[in-house]
Amino acid sequence: MWLYLYGAAAALIVSFVVVGYFVTASASPARPNEESKSWRVPAGVIAALRCLSVFLLLVAIVAGFVGSNHPYRNINMTLFWVVFCLGFTWFTALAGNWFAVVSPFRTSIEWCEKWLPELFSGRVKYPDRLAYWPALFLYIAFIWLELFGRSAPFSLSLILTAYLLLTFAGCVLIGKDAWFRYVELFAVFLRIIARVAPIKVTRDEDRGMTCVQFRRPFSALLGRERVPLSLLCFIVFMLASTAFDGLHETAFWIGAFWKNLYLWVLIPIYGDAPPVAFATIKQLYLVYQTVALLFIPLACLLAYLLAIGVAKRCAKSDLSVGELSCWFAYSLMPIALAYHVTHYFTLLQVQGVQLVRLVSDPFALGWDLFGTARIPLDTIPDMNIVWHSQVVLILVGHIVSVYLAHVQALQIFPNRRAAVLSQLPMLVLMVGFTAAGLWILSLPHGAGGLA
């Protein structure tokens, strides 16, 4: 493990030196290639994709209500958690923000809008001070449900139905545009992810046009406007919650509860007879996990703000720590994406391919609609390849973030010397994040705590 840590730290330092020496403000791809040709997507294709997205949402909802409640036999669990939350996220990082065009939630609203054109114009004006805070709170609730909700097909259908109704109510209250810009969780999440993509997808609602345009990868993360604080917190939570997901079922983390908190705090209170106090201890374990889910992103945010504060002093900048932290927010995105891919790609490899079977028997009722229900699809990943792929992904994500932060610094600070000096504390932060990510990957999994 120490060899990986030293090697990763050395790679980041060398990358920092190379970027600091060779990359200048004039040579950096700080602006998207706006002159590249754009292509219009046929309206028929967009209409078909929108119909498909609504159909898949309905399938996921209906499957949970009428099909088997076994999570691996009902299509809705794989369709939502694996295909959409994982596969479509990575597709967005490669192909752009297609969700803004084909979202089943937005499509449903716009179909209803044709019959009731004034219904979603908004009863109240969305307060500017709320910014993206509602989307962040929904994101926190979503991650909590993913980690601790123990959703089954039936409960997932209830959640999707409730979220669809919430979307309708929100669009009626504050209007369609404000809801999907600031509040709707998946719209905000995938819009941020799409900034990584080498493809820009634009939708002109007034003209009914959707166009695609090539641009330099990651160039949309380099802006000349600082992001709101709420969006910075959203990005930090994206990064930290994925890291916590990799940590919370490890032997180290479970042992921290049973060997420390339980042994030294709970036994003196409840005695040493776990069966008697099991229900209470189970609730305390959930509190322990929930507090950590909130605390770890807060710790990451404080570490980031500390690095920004030192960077401000190194560069002797007149900008406040809050302003600088928002300017550099998007430079964290490659790390967040690398953590996301690293932690989940084996799940997509193992369970995602099961969709081939599930489409033939989506409700686990013994159907074989397409003759694929009994195809052998056992895929066991080579853990040696998995481990080294994870190391490479984490390292590449941090190197890209070092590069983006340097380019952003060249735009913000008055001279190259100040920009380079400002990135020394950011380099320390990146090395720390890399070490933490590799350490989490190296931890053996535990028995699941109080599963």
Side-chain angles (χ1 to χ4, degrees):
M1 181 62 189
W2 66 269
L3 284 173
Y4 281 98
L5 292 178
Y6 279 124
L12 281 173
I13 293 171
V14 170
S15 300
F16 172 80
V17 173
V18 171
V19 169
Y21 185 80
F22 287 104
V23 176
T24 63
S26 59
S28 64
R31 296 177 300 278
N33 187 5
E34 300 294 350
E35 297 180 358
S36 65
K37 182 180 178 181
S38 63
W39 289 268
R40 180 177 177 179
V41 182
V45 173
I46 299 300
L49 291 174
R50 302 186 87 189
C51 289
L52 177 62
S53 70
V54 173
F55 172 74
L56 292 176
L57 176 61
L58 292 177
V59 167
I61 292 174
V62 173
F65 287 140
V66 306
S68 169
N69 208 39
H70 192 291
Y72 293 105
R73 296 181 61 200
N74 193 309
I75 196 173
N76 78 339
M77 297 289 285
T78 299
L79 197 59
F80 178 74
W81 291 112
V82 179
V83 176
F84 174 67
C85 294
L86 302 186
F88 194 80
T89 296
W90 305 342
F91 172 80
T92 300
L94 294 174
N97 191 15
W98 286 95
F99 188 76
V101 180
V102 303
S103 163
F105 305 108
R106 188 173 191 123
T107 300
S108 301
I109 294 295
E110 292 180 355
W111 284 354
C112 292
E113 199 174 28
K114 293 180 180 180
W115 297 94
L116 300 168
E118 300 300 324
L119 183 61
F120 303 111
S121 58
R123 301 294 182 269
V124 297
K125 184 180 182 298
Y126 184 76
D128 293 337
R129 65 180 180 277
L130 288 181
Y132 295 93
W133 294 115
L136 175 60
F137 295 144
L138 285 175
Y139 190 28
I140 293 173
F142 172 75
I143 295 298
W144 190 93
L145 284 171
E146 177 196 354
L147 298 182
F148 312 123
R150 303 193 182 281
S151 64
F154 182 78
S155 59
L156 176 58
S157 292
L158 287 177
I159 293 169
L160 291 175
T161 302
Y163 191 75
L164 185 59
L165 293 175
L166 176 65
T167 299
F168 272 81
C171 290
V172 170
L173 180 63
I174 64 173
K176 176 188 67 176
D177 293 335
W179 178 265
F180 286 104
R181 178 170 178 78
Y182 295 107
V183 183
E184 206 276 287
L185 160 64
F186 303 111
V188 175
F189 176 81
L190 292 171
R191 189 186 313 134
I192 297 172
I193 293 291
R195 286 181 170 271
V196 173
I199 298 174
K200 180 180 180 181
V201 181
T202 56
R203 182 187 181 204
D204 188 335
E205 293 187 32
D206 295 332
R207 300 172 61 187
M209 290 175 52
T210 299
C211 297
V212 295
Q213 184 181 26
F214 287 100
R215 63 188 178 190
R216 299 180 183 92
F218 304 104
S219 62
L221 297 175
L222 298 165
R224 297 188 177 275
E225 296 181 2
R226 67 176 187 266
V227 305
L229 176 62
S230 55
L231 201 58
L232 166 63
C233 293
F234 194 101
I235 293 170
V236 171
F237 189 79
M238 288 173 63
L239 185 157
S241 62
T242 306
F244 174 71
D245 193 2
L247 175 67
H248 85 286
E249 289 188 343
T250 63
F252 167 84
W253 186 255
I254 295 170
F257 178 85
W258 289 106
K259 294 179 182 179
N260 297 303
L261 184 61
Y262 175 74
L263 186 63
W264 300 108
V265 178
L266 299 183
I267 284 183
I269 297 175
Y270 297 103
D272 58 355
V276 177
F278 178 77
T280 301
I281 295 174
K282 185 175 182 179
Q283 294 301 317
L284 290 174
Y285 186 74
L286 181 60
V287 171
Y288 164 76
Q289 296 278 42
T290 303
V291 170
L293 174 63
L294 300 175
F295 174 78
I296 289 179
L298 180 60
C300 290
L301 178 62
L302 292 176
Y304 172 72
L305 292 176
L306 177 62
I308 291 293
V310 178
K312 168 183 165 62
R313 295 182 65 87
C314 291
K316 299 179 181 180
S317 174
D318 295 330
L319 297 174
S320 69
V321 172
E323 290 175 317
L324 287 173
S325 65
C326 292
W327 276 110
F328 286 100
Y330 280 134
S331 67
L332 298 174
M333 268 307 302
I335 302 176
L337 182 61
Y339 279 12
H340 195 279
V341 177
T342 296
H343 183 66
Y344 295 115
F345 80 86
T346 54
L347 179 59
L348 186 64
Q349 177 184 353
V350 174
Q351 183 60 28
V353 296
Q354 300 302 321
L355 191 67
V356 176
R357 288 177 174 172
L358 293 170
V359 292
S360 284
D361 190 13
F363 306 144
L365 299 176
W367 299 349
D368 194 2
L369 299 177
F370 304 104
T372 60
R374 295 171 182 82
I375 291 180
L377 291 171
D378 296 327
T379 55
I380 301 176
D382 184 326
M383 295 313 297
N384 189 50
I385 295 176
V386 168
W387 162 251
H388 287 92
S389 299
Q390 290 173 326
V391 171
V392 170
L393 285 169
I394 285 182
L395 183 57
V396 169
H398 284 80
I399 290 175
V400 174
S401 286
V402 167
Y403 169 76
L404 293 176
H406 177 75
V407 173
Q408 192 69 50
L410 290 172
Q411 300 179 31
I412 296 172
F413 299 116
N415 55 69
R416 185 174 179 180
R417 182 176 183 274
V420 172
L421 289 176
S422 74
Q423 293 311 292
L424 290 173
M426 295 295 288
L427 175 63
V428 174
L429 179 70
M430 298 299 180
V431 171
F433 281 168
T434 303
L438 294 178
W439 173 69
I440 290 172
L441 286 178
S442 72
L443 295 175
H445 272 227
L450 282 165

